[in-house]
Amino acid sequence: MNPSKSFLSLLPSDAGPEARRRSELTPARHDARARPEAGSERKPRSFVPVVAVGWLGANVILAGCAAQATAANETRPATTGAPWGRLTHAQVEVLLPKAVVPGSTMDVGVRFTIEKDWHLYWNGQNDSGTPIEIELRMPAGFKAKQTLWPAPERLVEPGGILNHIYEREVILIVPVEVAKDANVGPAEIAVESKWLACKEACVPESGGAKATLKVDAVPAAHAALYVHEAVAKVRAALPIELAKDDPRVKASIDGRRATIQAPDAREIAFMPGSDCTPVKTLAERGVARSDKLEIELAEGPNTIRISGIVRVVNLEGVRAYYHIDTYAGARPESGQDRP
Amino acid sequence: MKQLWSLVAVAAIAMSASVVAQEGAKPAAKPGEKQVQPAQDGKKEAKKDKAELKIGDKAPEFALKDTEGKEHSLSSLSGKIVVLEWFNPDCPFVVKQHEKTSVMADLVKKYGDKVTFLAINSSAPGKQGSGAERNTKAKTDWKIDFPILLDETGEVGKAYQSKNTPTMYIVDAKGNLAYWGAIDDDSGAEKAGKTNYVAKALDELLAGKPVSQSKTKPYGCNVKY
């Protein structure tokens, strides 16, 4: 039995004919699966307890029955770190290492499992939609740093509407500093999140989750305790930060045009970050099937900043993602925001 | 006994699913197309969008029928300030400005006697929020006392390069585009923003002043072309 399948098949959006049509888009799908962060951790997860919980909140009269029905299901998985909240098109979880040592930094993963055919939004430039928002609640001595966003996918919809999205699953990473004097013992980390889920329709949704880890005074012998495997895989696949004069990707600005080049690329795509100078007609011209992508910038201030993610497919068909950040004119004062 | 509970659980799940089915939109007529062949897309679309619409440009002319079948054209409104609201009754951000808050109603109340308001819905037939019936219902439910024009081919929406519902445009008395963007500065789907850009622009236009903030980033759903 595949519980997640039976759950999804009850939802209106999982209509047969459309799902079949959708599955014809195999090239992109295969690409998405080939990405380590997208494909490596995908297992059928049981949604049944989630349904029961969400439904409980929605209908008080039959709540007793549902609760007992759930209790009767002896095979349901452990709920630690599992999503809670009402029935939504995405479910949120907190992924933690088993333990952390005071005075170190760990990665907290916030995983969104997204219903088939629906998508959530990246925090760079999009023509519509709203980026995912997350907020962590942590014990004293825990400090969250800037959230790291995996590379999204481009989605071009009718009317030349371009969005950068996540389908199926995304794990946002929040590096967290744990102070030297943090209390030893169990620590709970909760996330509150808001997102806009869209397919054809868009639905503003929210949810939360929590999980617990151990703050250990003495480092444990096994390093694996200090990382969550799925989070570590996503971190390894995050866009690469380019050093100055890094030969892998070069961006140059000439007036209101910019050129992004990568040697050995057969395809280059540019996904502008939130602080990038707006680019014209990126829906049509954001991808070049060559080693050079030329983009045209919209009218605006004289300081031009080309920042965001460059997706490069090399001659062997291997994808890589890079962060670029290039200026022409005076350098903006606050440049720490990513992407 | 265990079996009985399982049955109850199945019924419960089915019920919750049917609730979702009512709330959720109909299955899409056509799913969003992933850009799998960018080179081809580039050729196809490049011809259409040569000229980027800018503030100060002549606002694209249109002649569209409203939910009652009455035609409205921009040229017939020359000499008047016109506010256009890109509309889709099933987009939560449109719901915000008509149902959750009184943002649109307040604008109409304040400026309705000096300014013409029109909503334009570019949802393609069969797509979310399309059709005279759905929009008539929204007009009644939300007591919208200005026409909702149906742009089922999407031609007017594309001429205005409208990508979001809601997107607000103001056409000045000379027929030129004076404002293009969001209604206010709260891009969520729940509450009104602190600054209403449309009100600010209308105040300036009515006082014979240039619009100080004539372009903002629209927020909301994509237009269902």
Side-chain angles (χ1 to χ4, degrees), chain A residues 73-90:
Chain A
N73 182 0
E74 287 145 40
T75 57
R76 80 196 164 102
T79 52
T80 311
W84 49 270
R86 59 179 204 281
L87 193 62
T88 51
H89 297 289

Side-chain angles (χ1 to χ4, degrees), chain B residues 80-107:
Chain B
K80 287 181 176 161
I81 296 172
V82 181
V83 173
L84 304 175
E85 177 198 16
W86 244 265
F87 188 81
N88 171 354
D90 295 318
C91 165
F93 299 86
V94 175
V95 172
K96 170 177 96 167
Q97 61 191 39
H98 285 281
E99 186 180 297
K100 288 195 173 163
T101 71
S102 59
V103 171
M104 272 310 290
D106 291 347
L107 278 180

Side-chain angles (χ1 to χ4, degrees), chain A residues 12-36:
Chain A
S13 52
D14 200 42
E18 194 202 342
R20 276 193 291 279
R21 227 174 295 140
R22 186 74 190 190
S23 68
E24 284 160 19
L25 296 168
T26 41
R29 302 246 143 205
H30 283 163
D31 279 352
R33 258 184 228 127
R35 287 162 56 191

